[in-house]
Amino acid sequence: MPRTASRLLPAVAAFAAVAALAGCTSAPGRPVEDYAGEPKGVEAPASSAGGSSWAVWMEDGTRLAIVLYGSSTCPPKVDHIRSSGPTKITATLAPAPGGICTHDYVPYTTVFATPDGTSKTAEVGVELPDQTLTLPARQG
């Protein structure tokens, strides 16, 4: 191998690794993860016992989770969110899947990176098409 090529190889490999990792991050406002059940490591509010949707801060406010209830075979999902100011987030639901859905009623969690400019020291409203959830002000 020519000497110049052997010097460039580590730089090319490093660039390729950074490019690959950059492709793994989610776009702003898109889910970081979603899964059946309630948010991991978070205690559900008492209101969720009846199947009420809710939202919660995660990871010291760098992420937030939105919990919706519905069929386990056709779970309701939040497709994306956008900041509508420091105390308002607008959430858009994913289209409902086609097919036959079971008539059970279970939680489904969608996690997002907190949008830039969102206040963590004031209550934040998370607007869904049919209701508004509240993220309480974070203490500390």
Side-chain angles (χ1 to χ4, degrees):
M1 181 179 327
R3 190 174 177 125
T4 305
S6 65
R7 288 184 188 166
L8 289 176
L9 190 57
V12 170
F15 177 78
V18 169
L21 289 174
C24 294
T25 61
S26 65
R30 299 307 251 177
V32 175
E33 64 179 318
D34 60 356
Y35 48 86
E38 295 176 336
K40 300 168 186 165
V42 176
E43 186 174 330
S47 64
S48 71
S52 295
S53 299
W54 52 288
V56 65
W57 295 110
M58 297 182 72
E59 299 180 18
D60 294 328
T62 59
R63 291 185 176 190
L64 62 95
I66 300 173
V67 182
L68 303 176
Y69 287 77
S71 169
S72 62
T73 57
C74 305
K77 297 180 184 181
V78 179
D79 185 55
H80 64 275
I81 61 172
R82 67 177 172 79
S83 175
S84 302
T87 60
K88 184 176 165 187
I89 294 172
T90 303
T92 302
L93 300 180
I100 298 173
C101 302
T102 57
H103 288 284
D104 55 352
Y105 200 63
V106 298
Y108 194 85
T109 298
T110 309
V111 180
F112 297 90
T114 300
D116 290 339
T118 301
S119 175
K120 295 176 191 131
T121 58
E123 280 191 357
V124 175
V126 178
E127 291 189 0
L128 296 166
D130 60 347
Q131 66 181 313
T132 299
L133 309 176
T134 301
L135 283 165
R138 290 189 47 81
Q139 303 299 315

